[in-house]
Amino acid sequence: MKIIRTLYDMTEYRVQQRDRGASVGFVPTMGALHEGHMSLVKKAVEENMVTVVSVFVNPIQFNNKEDFAKYPRTEEEDFKLLASAGVDAVFAPTAEEIYPEENCDNKEYALGTVAEVMEGKYRPGHFQGVARVLDILFRLVDPHRAYFGEKDFQQIAVVRNLVKSEGLKVEIVACPIKRANDGLALSSRNSRLSEEQRKAAPEIYETLKYSVEYSKDHSVRATHDTVVEHLDAIPGMRVEYFQIVDARTLQPVEEWEMSDWIVGCITVYVGDVRLIDNITYRTPH
Ligand code: PAF
């Protein structure tokens, strides 16, 4: 596996792959890899001649300095995992390499209303930061396909809008959430949970699952409230938001009949660790 650190070397690698007509799959990550990431990598390896993975903790998508400082970094282990999964190249640049002073153009991306709700509202600037780094990475790696996990349900909708508005030629592949045996959605942030918090955290998914049953004979409002009340009552847990939304527009629904595809997206603080998850209430037939 090739380890690439500079934009120049990445471009050179990409040109080599293009010259030999290779299809390229790309998995952008911030490292601290777990089975969720590895399921994206596996799919990319299966579907493309060459797989490139980026490992870059993108400073400009963190609206909270402490969250950025505490984000787990496990580069050596990450590289071992990627090599054993058959990845061809890992791109792990420094922040100076991605954002040199002369590249501070503060471009505003047209991401649409899907970027204004939920994470967009609670993490100001987050999606512009994600869009900036992906714009740079997509242009550099120039992949045929890029793989994203559905745990970040909203991010996928935002990335699709980025691709459309920037006229980028990459297919966005959405992959199902990977969960631990007890149901907790896998996340790099799980490693920051204490033993006690880790024991409590599966209650997030348990509550979401229960709410799907509950929703069958209750209103959207009642389903929302039961989830929030249940989780807020657990010591050390605080729901930042829970929104039941149309899965295409990500705008809130007030009645189950308002859409044929409805998901509930949640963000919960367990101590000071911010975890996200989602569940489907209605799927189109
Ligand atoms: O989902 C993530 O890990 C990040 O938002 C991404 C897509 C790698 C951009 O930094």
Side-chain angles (χ1 to χ4, degrees):
M1 183 178 79
K2 212 171 159 58
I3 295 172
I4 302 172
R5 299 281 184 187
T6 65
L7 300 186
Y8 181 88
D9 288 348
M10 187 62 234
T11 303
E12 192 173 63
Y13 181 79
R14 186 61 190 98
V15 169
Q16 281 164 11
Q17 301 315 316
R18 192 175 309 140
D19 286 353
R20 69 181 190 97
S23 60
V24 174
F26 177 45
V27 185
T29 81
M30 299 206 297
L33 302 180
H34 50 67
E35 274 176 56
H37 295 112
M38 297 318 286
S39 71
L40 311 184
V41 168
K42 184 164 177 275
K43 199 162 161 62
V45 169
E46 278 163 10
E47 294 182 350
N48 301 277
M49 284 165 69
V50 164
T51 296
V52 178
V53 176
S54 63
V55 173
F56 177 63
V57 187
N58 178 30
I60 68 165
Q61 73 183 69
F62 288 81
N63 55 315
N64 176 330
K65 275 200 182 114
E66 204 181 313
D67 191 25
F68 174 65
K70 287 189 176 164
Y71 201 84
R73 290 158 171 89
T74 56
E75 192 179 89
E76 225 173 281
E77 289 94 318
D78 291 348
F79 289 1
K80 274 190 208 141
L81 273 176
L82 294 174
S84 64
V87 167
D88 300 275
V90 54
F91 179 50
T94 60
E96 292 70 36
E97 190 67 26
I98 293 289
Y99 302 119
E101 260 173 50
E102 57 277 20
N103 194 9
C104 285
D105 59 2
N106 286 334
K107 182 173 172 179
E108 273 282 316
Y109 292 90
L111 303 174
T113 50
V114 296
E116 285 164 18
V117 292
M118 300 190 286
E119 293 297 280
K121 186 165 160 213
Y122 286 88
R123 300 182 73 188
H126 168 67
F127 283 130
Q128 285 296 327
V130 171
R132 183 81 188 112
V133 77
L134 288 178
D135 185 21
I136 295 169
L137 292 171
F138 283 162
R139 289 179 200 279
L140 197 64
V141 177
D142 190 18
H144 294 82
R145 301 180 190 86
Y147 297 78
F148 292 86
E150 283 179 340
K151 180 170 73 66
D152 297 288
F153 193 84
Q154 187 178 7
Q155 176 168 268
I156 297 179
V158 171
V159 173
R160 288 194 202 280
N161 277 0
L162 169 74
V163 166
K164 218 186 283 168
S165 70
E166 290 300 308
L168 301 168
K169 204 170 156 284
V170 49
E171 181 193 337
I172 302 303
V173 184
C175 305
I177 301 181
K178 278 271 165 195
R179 297 185 181 278
N181 290 339
D182 57 16
L184 178 64
L186 295 185
S187 161
S188 305
R189 289 189 167 90
N190 293 351
S191 66
R192 292 193 44 229
L193 297 169
S194 69
E195 210 176 302
E196 203 178 320
Q197 289 168 337
R198 177 63 189 78
K199 268 196 207 137
E203 200 53 42
I204 300 170
Y205 184 52
E206 279 305 309
T207 307
L208 291 177
K209 271 195 309 189
Y210 163 77
S211 78
V212 173
E213 284 308 307
Y214 186 89
S215 73
K216 291 181 183 155
D217 46 15
H218 289 87
S219 65
V220 171
R221 169 56 45 198
T223 305
H224 168 274
D225 291 352
T226 198
V227 167
V228 175
E229 278 162 24
H230 183 83
L231 290 173
D232 274 347
I234 299 172
M237 267 197 207
R238 181 175 68 79
V239 175
E240 183 172 50
Y241 67 78
F242 175 51
Q243 287 201 3
I244 298 178
V245 299
D246 177 297
R248 297 181 188 87
T249 64
L250 301 188
Q251 304 309 305
V253 295
E254 273 112 47
E255 318 264 346
W256 296 117
E257 294 68 35
M258 277 175 73
S259 170
D260 62 344
W261 190 13
I262 298 180
V263 295
C265 298
I266 196 160
T267 293
V268 182
Y269 274 98
V270 183
D272 70 342
V273 185
R274 191 176 186 273
L275 301 180
I276 68 173
D277 203 345
N278 61 76
I279 194 112
T280 304
Y281 291 102
R282 299 265 186 291
T283 355
H285 300 295

